[in-house]
Amino acid sequence: MKKYLSESAVEEAAIEWLKEIKPYHYKHGEDIHRPLNKAVLEDIFTSFLQNKFKHVPAKVLEEVKQEFLFNSGSDIHTRNHEFHKKLSKGFSKEWKDDNGKYYAEHFYAVDFETISNNDFLIVNQFTIDGKNKRRPDLIVFINGLPLVLFEFKDWFNKDADVETAFNQIQHYIQDIPQVFEYNALTVISDGQTTLHGMFSSGMEWFAAWKSVDGINVVQNDFALETLIKGLLVPERLLQYIRFYIFHELDKGQLIKKGAKYHQFFGVQYALEETKKAIKPFGDGRIGVIWHTTRSGKSITMAIYSGILRQMPELKNPTIVVQVDRFDLNKQLYEDFIATKDLVGDVSLADNSDDLRSLLSGEGGGVIFSTIEKFRLQKTEEGKEASHPVLSTRDNIIVIADECHRTQYGLLQGFAANLRTALPNASFIGFTGTPVDTKDADTVAVFGEVIHTYDIKQATEDNAVVPIYYEPRLAKLHLGNAQIEEEAEEIVGAVTDKDRNKILWAAAEDAAGADKRVAEVSKDILHHYIERSKTLEGKAMIVCMSRRNCVKMYDALMKLEGCPEIAVIMTSNIAKDPKGWNPHICTKEKMEAIKARFKDPDDPLKIVIVRDMWLTGFDNPPLHTLYVDKIMSGHNLIQAINRVATVFKDKPSGLIVDYIGIGDKLRDATKKYTGSGGKGDVVIDVDEAFETAKEFIAALQKSLPANFDYSKWLGLSKGNQLKLVSDATNHIVSDEEASKDFMLNELKMSGLASVIKGHPNIQTIALDIIFLQHVGAAVRKIKNPSVNIRKKEGQIKELIHRSIESEEVVDVFTMAGIPKFDISIINDDFLATAKEQKSGYELKLELVRKILNEEIKLRQFKNIVKYKKLREEVEKIIEDYHNHFFDSLIALQKLRGAAKAMQEEDERRKVLGLTDEEEAFYEILVQHKNAISDYALIKEIVKDVTAAIKKSLQIDWYKKPDARAQIMLAVKRVLQRKGVSQELQDILNEIMEQAEARYKEWWGEVA
C-alpha cells in the first residue's frame, strides 16, 4: 500500500515554505522549455542584465553574459571557483561606442543592493542531460543561475536518510557537472535531518542551520523549515553568497568552504555593533565574539574582516589583527592567507619599524602583528617616554585574537602603547574562553559579549567532537600526617603570591619524581597503544615544567614499543642543561615538526609540551591529551580543546588526567557553557574612576612638597630609581604616614583593575604606575620579604620526606568498572560544579553515569535483566537524593550493581548457558505460573534459541512472514514442553528479545 507521506511530501513542504517568502515564485521543471543539457535559464539571466544595465549596448551585454557563464578550468572545482569570484565580486569591463568614446562598468550577476531587482525562482524535478540524465529534487535559481540545490529523501523510510542524499549528490557531480559549476549551496534533507554545505565537501562538513535569528537555537524542530527561514530569506541568502563562501588552496587542492550558522550570525551582529561603537559615534569598544575554541573562529574573523573592508561607512578601513605570540600570529596569518577570496591582500609586520610604517599610511588593508611590536624604542636621547601616535584615523579596527592577557595592560605596557599609537581605533575581541578575573576582564576591556557559541552547543552541532574525561590518578601517597602543619610553619609569613610560587615549585618537583614519572610513562604508553588499536591518531602530553617534559621523554624512550616522540619547548641555552640540547629547535625545525605532527600518516605520534601548542594550534588527528600539569580556567579550556577538532571519523577527544584536574575542569566547563563567563561588571566604572582619583590625590599628599614625577617614564632607569627612592625615603620616615600610604595604595591598585577600560584611563595612568612603584618600595622596607628560594627548598624537602609514589590507578578500580569515559559537558558532570562536593559524592555521580552507559551497551543482550538493573541504579540515586542514605552507602550499592554485571560469566557457567540463552532464561523464570521447573527451563531456552537462529534471514524483523515463521517455531517448542499459561505474553517477550539480539544476526553469519 502506498504511504500517505513520502519523499515528495518533504519536497512539497520546502516549496510551500519558500513560496511564503517574497519574492520567491514557483515553476515545475517540466513547464520550463530550454535545452536539457544546460543548467542555466539563459533567457531569465539575459532579461536581468538588460533590466539592470539598460544603458549598456546589447552587444556588450552579450559578451558580459558569456563571461559570467563561461568559466575556465580543467575540473569542476576550478570552474566553480572562477564563477564564484565573478558572482560575489563582479567584474569590470570597458568598451568603445561607434564614435570611439570609452565606457566602463562594473557588472554583477546579482543585484546585492536592491533585492526586488532579482528573480528568485523555485523549480522542482528539473531534468538535466549530462553524462547521464538526472533530475535533482529542487533548485533555487537566482536570475536564472542554479545557486541552491536540494536533494530530499523519504522521512518515513529508515533506509533513506541524509547520507543517501549526500551519496546521490556525489553521483550528480559526476553525471551533471554543469549544474555544480554555478552551485553556491547544497542542501540534503530527509525532513527530520536537514544539512547544508558545499557540494565538494565531505559529509562531516555538512551542518544543520539551527537558528532563525542567531540568538535562539531551535532544538528538535523541523530542521528544513529553520534552514529556509533562517538562511534562504532573499536578503540573507545574497549576503551569504557574497561574503560567507570562499575557496582556499590546500596542498594544491581547491577546498570550498561556507560559514555555519553561528559564524554567520556572529559576524552579522558584530557588524551592527561595529557601526555603533566606532569613534566618534561610540567609545571604540565593539564587544566580544565568544565562539568556543575549534569552532572555526579564524574563518569568522576572516569573514568579518572581509566585509569591513567593503563597508562604505568605513571608507577603506585598516584592520589590525593582534595576537600575543609569534606562533599564534603565524598560524592565524596563514588562515587569513587561505581566505584571500574574502579579505584580499594581508600584510605581516616583521618588526616594530615595519609595523609603524604600515600603520602610518593612509591606505586600508589587513595588518598582522604580535602585540609586543608596540614596544617603546631607543632614541638618541634615550628610550621613548611614550609610544608615538601613528594614526588618528577612526576607521582602524583592532581585532584581538583570544583577548589574551597582554591585551589588558592599559595602564602600562604593550596594550597601553597600542592605544596611544592608535587613539581613535576601535577594538573587538574574539575568544573561545573569556577571562573575567580581577585583573583581566574581557568585557571591561572590549565591551559586551556580542554573540556566544559555547562548548555545549558546538558539540551538539558536531562543530567539534565531544570531549571525554578519564581520571587516572598517579597517586602521591602521604606518609607524613603532619605535612600541612609543617608546611604552614615554613610558608606562614609569606604573601599569597609568594606562597603560590613556592607551592607550584613543590608540586612541579613532586610531579617530576623519578619513580612517579616512570610509572606515568608506562601507563601513558600502554594507554596510547591500546587506544590506537581502534582509533589511529596523535597524542599530546602536558607536563608541569620543561624539566619534567624532558624526564617524561627520557622515561618513554626507554620503554619497548614506544613510537616516535618529540619535546616542544622554548630554550635558554645559557641556563639549560646540555642534556636538553637535542630538544632545542630553530623556528624552521619547529615548523617542520608541526607539519609532521599534523600529518596523520607521519610516524611522529606523540609530543610533550609545557605551554607551547596549548593555544592556537589546530591538529585534527590529535585525539588524546595526557595531562600531568595543574591548570585551571580559560587556560585549561584552551588546552583540552586541542582534541576537539572534527577529523574524518574521529568520534571524540579524550582527556586523560594524571594529576587531578577534575574539579577545575568541571568548574571551567561550567563557566564556559551557556550560563557562565559573561564577565558582568558590578561596579559603576565612572564612579570607580572618580574614587581612584581621590586615592591618588591622598597619596600625592604623602610625597615631598612640590614633588614632580610627570616626566618619570621618559627618564633613564637610574633616574627613575632615584625618583622612587626620594619619595620612599620621605614616606618611611613617618610610621603612621607609611601605614596610610600602603593602605591607600592597595585601594587605588584594587580600583585600577576595574577602571582599566575607562576611556580616560590614560589621564591618570602615570600617577597609578608611579605610586604603585613607591608603594612596593615602602612595603618592602616596612615588611621585608622572606627568602623565597630558601622556602622553596624547605617545602620540596618536606614533600620528599612525606610522599611515597604508588602505581597509576584509574579512579573506578575500587568500583570494579572497566568503562570510565564521561563527557565533560554532560549535565551530570557539570552538576558537580554547582556546589562543593566530597570525593564520595563526585564518585557517586560518575559511577552512576558509567553504569547507565554500560547497561545501555548490554541491554540488547538481555532486555529483562538490564531493564531491572537500570531501575535499580536509578532507585539508588533517587533514595540518595531523598536522604534515605548517604553517599557512601549509595556508592556501595552501586558497586554492588556493578559487581552483578561482573558476575555474569560465572553465573552462566554455573547454569551451563550462553549469554544469548541466559536472556531467554530470564524471561521464562519471571513466569512462575507457566513453568517452575528450572531444569526444564534450561532445556526450553536451548531449544528456543536453536529454533530462532535456524529461522533467521536477512532483515527478518522487517518482514511479517519471517516474523510469523519465527514466532510459530518458538510457539511449537513451548507447547511441546508443556507451556500453556501466559503463552502469548512469553511469546511477545521472547520476540522482543530476539529482535534486540538478532536484528543484525545475518551479517554475523554471512
Side-chain angles (χ1 to χ4, degrees):
M1 188 177 84
K2 183 174 174 61
K3 291 179 182 175
Y4 178 64
L5 292 174
S6 61
E7 178 179 325
S8 62
V10 182
E11 179 183 309
E12 289 164 16
I15 293 170
E16 288 173 9
W17 284 319
L18 285 165
K19 285 168 65 178
E20 290 173 4
I21 306 170
K22 295 181 180 180
Y24 280 107
H25 61 111
Y26 164 75
K27 279 187 180 180
H28 192 280
E30 292 180 358
D31 298 332
I32 299 174
H33 303 288
R34 93 290 177 206
L36 292 184
N37 65 336
K38 291 191 175 182
V40 175
L41 303 177
E42 291 192 19
D43 55 339
I44 298 177
F45 187 52
T46 300
S47 177
F48 166 78
L49 292 175
Q50 290 172 344
N51 291 330
K52 176 67 177 171
F53 305 101
K54 292 183 173 69
H55 57 288
V56 178
K59 180 181 177 182
V60 175
L61 280 184
E62 182 62 27
E63 293 173 359
V64 169
K65 183 179 84 169
Q66 293 305 319
E67 189 158 349
F68 271 118
L69 299 186
F70 178 78
N71 303 289
S72 60
S74 59
D75 59 69
I76 188 63
H77 306 289
T78 306
R79 294 196 298 277
N80 182 272
H81 182 213
E82 186 74 18
F83 173 74
H84 184 76
K85 285 191 292 184
K86 290 183 282 189
L87 174 67
S88 58
K89 299 182 184 299
F91 63 83
S92 295
K93 187 175 181 63
E94 297 179 349
W95 70 91
K96 289 190 295 185
D97 64 13
D98 295 338
N99 299 317
K101 184 178 179 181
Y102 273 97
Y103 292 86
E105 184 78 40
H106 195 83
F107 293 93
Y108 285 99
V110 172
D111 191 333
F112 291 109
E113 308 304 327
T114 308
I115 303 299
S116 59
N117 286 344
N118 301 291
D119 182 86
F120 287 81
L121 177 62
I122 314 155
V123 180
N124 65 329
Q125 302 305 314
F126 186 77
T127 302
I128 303 170
D129 197 354
K131 294 178 182 177
N132 289 294
K133 190 174 287 187
R134 299 296 181 203
R135 186 182 295 173
D137 289 331
L138 188 67
I139 297 177
V140 171
F141 290 87
I142 303 180
N143 301 333
L145 301 169
L147 298 185
V148 184
L149 183 145
F150 292 79
E151 187 61 31
F152 299 111
K153 289 299 168 190
D154 184 357
W155 188 5
F156 307 98
N157 181 348
K158 75 180 190 61
D159 294 322
D161 56 15
V162 289
E163 290 193 9
T164 60
F166 173 80
N167 191 57
Q168 198 155 325
I169 295 293
Q170 308 315 302
H171 286 284
Y172 286 168
I173 295 170
Q174 299 298 318
D175 294 338
I176 49 172
Q178 57 266 53
V179 75
F180 293 100
E181 184 169 326
Y182 310 100
N183 180 257
L185 191 67
T186 300
V187 179
I188 53 179
S189 176
D190 63 2
Q192 184 177 29
T193 301
T194 298
L195 307 174
H196 70 94
M198 304 296 104
F199 77 93
S200 54
S201 297
M203 179 68 189
E204 70 268 26
W205 298 111
F206 275 70
W209 192 278
K210 289 192 173 182
S211 183
V212 173
D213 60 6
I215 301 298
N216 300 297
V217 175
V218 182
Q219 303 286 2
N220 303 318
D221 73 320
F222 202 83
L224 180 59
E225 184 180 17
T226 304
L227 179 131
I228 288 172
K229 296 181 178 179
L231 174 58
L232 299 188
V233 177
E235 182 177 5
R236 196 171 281 176
L237 176 58
L238 292 188
Q239 288 177 326
Y240 189 88
I241 290 170
R242 189 179 190 184
F243 297 122
Y244 292 85
I245 298 172
F246 65 97
H247 292 72
E248 71 174 46
L249 198 62
D250 183 36
K251 298 177 182 176
Q253 191 173 23
L254 267 176
I255 299 175
K256 187 177 184 181
K257 295 184 177 181
K260 305 296 188 288
Y261 76 94
H262 67 281
Q263 296 169 313
F264 177 85
F265 286 114
V267 171
Q268 290 290 99
Y269 284 114
L271 293 170
E272 290 178 17
E273 293 303 317
T274 301
K275 293 174 186 177
K276 291 189 286 187
I278 54 174
K279 298 176 181 178
F281 309 107
D283 64 2
R285 295 190 306 154
I286 298 170
V288 177
I289 297 290
W290 173 11
H291 286 184
T292 189
T293 309
R294 309 270 63 81
S295 63
K297 190 157 47 64
S298 297
I299 290 176
T300 307
M301 294 167 68
I303 293 170
Y304 173 69
S305 300
I307 299 176
L308 286 180
R309 295 195 65 179
Q310 299 181 59
M311 284 175 63
E313 301 97 315
L314 294 182
K315 301 173 185 176
N316 191 25
T318 296
I319 294 107
V320 181
V321 183
Q322 201 68 57
V323 298
D324 70 346
R325 289 213 320 265
F326 171 79
D327 56 330
L328 300 180
N329 186 40
K330 188 173 188 299
Q331 179 153 335
L332 189 57
Y333 172 70
E334 289 170 351
D335 290 340
F336 265 60
I337 292 294
T339 59
K340 188 176 179 181
D341 281 0
L342 297 176
V343 300
D345 293 328
V346 180
S347 301
L348 178 64
D350 292 324
N351 50 54
S352 294
D353 290 335
D354 193 18
L355 178 63
R356 292 187 179 192
S357 174
L358 288 167
L359 289 175
S360 297
E362 290 301 316
V366 177
I367 300 169
F368 268 76
S369 173
T370 51
I371 196 166
E372 53 84 22
K373 290 186 174 64
F374 284 92
R375 64 166 69 91
L376 301 180
Q377 295 187 352
K378 292 181 179 178
T379 65
E380 292 181 1
E381 292 78 25
K383 193 174 183 180
E384 291 173 328
S386 62
H387 199 287
V389 174
L390 300 179
S391 176
T392 58
R393 288 188 293 128
D394 55 21
N395 64 342
I396 296 176
I397 311 293
V398 178
I399 298 176
D401 177 37
E402 281 306 338
C403 311
H404 284 291
R405 292 184 184 278
T406 48
Q407 301 287 345
Y408 299 121
L410 303 189
L411 294 175
Q412 183 184 32
F414 299 137
N417 293 344
L418 186 158
R419 283 164 168 75
T420 301
L422 307 172
N424 294 318
S426 298
F427 293 79
I428 182 170
F430 280 77
T431 184
T433 50
V435 177
D436 59 355
T437 63
K438 173 176 173 287
D439 297 313
D441 192 300
T442 310
V443 173
V445 174
F446 293 96
E448 294 299 321
V449 174
I450 300 169
H451 192 257
T452 298
Y453 188 65
D454 64 23
I455 300 171
K456 191 168 188 177
Q457 191 60 52
T459 306
E460 290 174 2
D461 293 347
N462 299 318
V464 297
V465 298
I467 304 173
Y468 289 85
Y469 170 68
E470 179 179 319
R472 293 181 69 79
L473 191 61
K475 293 198 297 184
L476 295 173
H477 177 67
L478 288 178
N480 177 3
Q482 283 75 45
I483 185 171
E484 291 186 12
E485 291 81 355
E486 291 185 42
E488 186 58 35
E489 288 181 14
I490 296 171
V491 299
V494 305
T495 64
D496 288 343
K497 182 177 179 180
D498 288 335
R499 179 187 295 242
N500 289 338
K501 181 181 176 184
I502 291 169
L503 296 178
W504 176 270
E508 172 198 323
D509 192 62
D514 291 343
K515 187 176 178 182
R516 183 179 181 279
V517 171
E519 293 293 339
V520 171
S521 62
K522 282 190 290 186
D523 195 70
I524 287 175
L525 182 59
H526 174 75
H527 186 280
Y528 177 75
I529 290 173
E530 288 300 307
R531 184 160 165 76
S532 298
K533 289 177 181 177
T534 55
L535 182 63
E536 280 293 326
K538 305 294 179 94
M540 180 183 285
I541 303 170
V542 189
C543 296
M544 292 276 289
S545 65
R546 294 185 305 136
R547 183 179 302 280
N548 288 7
C549 287
V550 174
K551 293 183 80 168
M552 184 67 71
Y553 174 88
D554 291 340
L556 282 165
M557 292 303 292
K558 293 175 183 177
L559 301 175
E560 185 178 350
C562 183
E564 187 175 349
I565 303 176
V567 176
I568 307 301
M569 66 183 192
T570 55
S571 63
N572 183 341
I573 59 174
K575 296 182 179 179
D576 293 345
K578 65 178 181 179
W580 296 6
N581 189 265
H583 306 297
I584 296 173
C585 295
T586 61
K587 287 180 181 178
E588 292 77 13
K589 185 178 177 182
M590 186 76 76
E591 288 304 310
I593 294 173
K594 182 182 288 186
R596 289 188 60 203
F597 191 53
K598 293 174 78 169
D599 181 352
D601 300 319
D602 192 275
L604 176 60
K605 298 298 184 183
I606 301 174
V607 297
I608 307 173
V609 306
R610 181 189 66 173
D611 297 309
M612 296 187 72
W613 294 7
L614 290 183
T615 58
F617 176 58
D618 185 17
N619 184 12
L622 181 65
H623 61 47
T624 307
L625 188 76
Y626 296 102
V627 178
D628 201 31
K629 174 184 177 180
I630 299 167
M631 294 183 284
S632 61
H634 80 289
N635 290 324
L636 178 55
I637 291 294
Q638 284 278 0
I640 66 171
N641 271 294
R642 296 313 99 201
V643 297
T645 307
V646 172
F647 180 67
K648 294 182 180 178
D649 57 354
K650 182 170 92 177
S652 60
L654 178 64
I655 309 301
V656 183
D657 176 15
Y658 286 95
I659 205 158
I661 60 166
D663 291 337
K664 290 181 171 60
L665 182 56
R666 275 188 306 282
D667 294 341
T669 306
K670 184 71 179 179
K671 179 178 180 180
Y672 297 122
T673 51
S675 61
K678 300 295 185 186
D680 298 327
V681 180
V682 295
I683 300 173
D684 183 278
V685 177
D686 287 329
E687 183 180 334
F689 186 79
E690 294 304 317
T691 305
K693 287 169 65 176
E694 293 174 8
F695 283 121
I696 289 170
L699 289 165
Q700 288 171 332
K701 289 179 181 177
S702 299
L703 300 176
N706 301 317
F707 191 83
D708 182 12
Y709 57 85
S710 60
K711 297 188 179 353
W712 182 69
L713 288 174
L715 300 176
S716 66
K717 292 297 181 188
N719 287 329
Q720 284 183 335
L721 292 173
K722 285 182 181 178
L723 207 60
V724 171
S725 178
D726 291 343
T728 303
N729 289 335
H730 176 79
I731 294 167
V732 298
S733 60
D734 186 318
E735 192 66 29
E736 289 303 314
S738 297
K739 290 179 180 177
D740 290 344
F741 190 92
M742 287 189 288
L743 180 61
N744 286 332
E745 188 270 320
L746 281 174
K747 292 178 179 178
M748 177 200 71
S749 294
L751 286 170
S753 65
V754 175
I755 64 174
K756 59 189 175 302
H758 194 280
N760 296 326
I761 188 64
Q762 289 301 320
T763 62
I764 60 173
L766 172 62
D767 299 310
I768 293 173
I769 295 164
F770 179 79
L771 293 169
Q772 284 177 333
H773 277 80
V774 176
V778 171
R779 197 167 289 107
K780 188 167 185 178
I781 292 172
K782 291 297 180 180
N783 302 310
S785 64
V786 295
N787 187 328
I788 300 301
R789 191 173 298 276
K790 181 179 178 182
K791 300 291 182 185
E792 285 181 12
Q794 290 174 329
I795 287 289
K796 285 182 181 181
E797 193 274 332
L798 172 63
I799 292 287
H800 280 296
R801 282 192 290 107
S802 304
I803 65 171
E804 301 165 6
S805 183
E806 296 183 356
E807 76 285 356
V808 176
V809 296
D810 69 76
V811 171
F812 303 112
T813 296
M814 291 292 290
I817 300 170
K819 182 178 175 58
F820 36 65
D821 288 349
I822 180 164
S823 169
I824 66 162
I825 61 165
N826 181 275
D827 288 339
D828 293 337
F829 186 74
L830 294 180
T832 62
K834 294 177 183 176
E835 57 189 72
Q836 194 66 32
K837 298 203 171 189
S838 71
Y840 281 121
E841 288 173 304
L842 168 59
K843 187 181 285 189
L844 176 66
E845 293 186 19
L846 294 175
V847 171
R848 177 239 191 140
K849 167 69 178 174
I850 285 130
L851 270 175
N852 281 337
E853 286 185 0
E854 188 75 17
I855 291 168
K856 186 178 179 182
L857 285 175
R858 292 170 178 246
Q859 187 156 333
F860 82 96
K861 296 180 179 181
N862 194 326
I863 291 172
V864 171
K865 180 175 183 176
Y866 289 109
K867 183 179 179 183
K868 287 172 58 182
L869 190 56
R870 180 184 292 278
E871 291 169 354
E872 180 184 343
V873 168
E874 294 306 323
K875 182 68 166 58
I876 292 168
I877 297 299
E878 182 183 352
D879 289 345
Y880 164 67
H881 286 302
N882 291 335
H883 308 294
F884 292 152
F885 41 73
D886 64 25
S887 58
L888 179 56
I889 296 173
L891 182 59
Q892 290 171 338
K893 287 182 176 290
L894 288 181
R895 287 174 62 183
K899 189 176 181 183
M901 282 191 281
Q902 290 184 307
E903 291 172 347
E904 280 183 4
D905 291 340
E906 188 61 33
R907 180 184 173 184
R908 281 197 299 271
K909 192 182 296 183
V910 172
L911 288 171
L913 299 173
T914 65
D915 62 341
E916 53 193 309
E917 291 168 346
E918 187 195 16
F920 297 124
Y921 182 90
E922 293 283 348
I923 292 170
L924 287 169
V925 296
Q926 301 299 315
H927 295 273
K928 292 183 169 52
N929 292 333
I931 183 168
S932 57
D933 185 336
Y934 290 103
L936 183 57
I937 290 175
K938 285 166 58 176
E939 272 183 43
I940 293 173
V941 298
K942 287 184 179 293
D943 290 347
V944 164
T945 306
I948 291 172
K949 290 165 71 172
K950 184 177 179 180
S951 304
L952 292 175
Q953 55 179 281
I954 294 174
D955 289 343
W956 65 271
Y957 57 92
K958 300 179 185 176
K959 303 170 182 176
D961 290 347
R963 287 180 61 88
Q965 183 180 341
I966 293 174
M967 184 174 281
L968 182 58
V970 173
K971 187 175 182 179
R972 286 172 180 162
V973 170
L974 294 171
Q975 289 177 329
R976 192 169 62 244
K977 297 292 185 179
V979 178
S980 57
Q981 292 189 53
E982 304 177 21
L983 179 60
Q984 193 56 48
D985 290 341
I986 294 171
L987 270 173
N988 291 340
E989 291 174 26
I990 287 177
M991 290 304 295
E992 181 186 6
Q993 177 63 50
E995 183 169 337
R997 178 78 192 210
Y998 300 118
K999 184 178 277 190
E1000 306 299 335
W1001 178 256
W1002 61 270
E1004 297 174 26
V1005 297

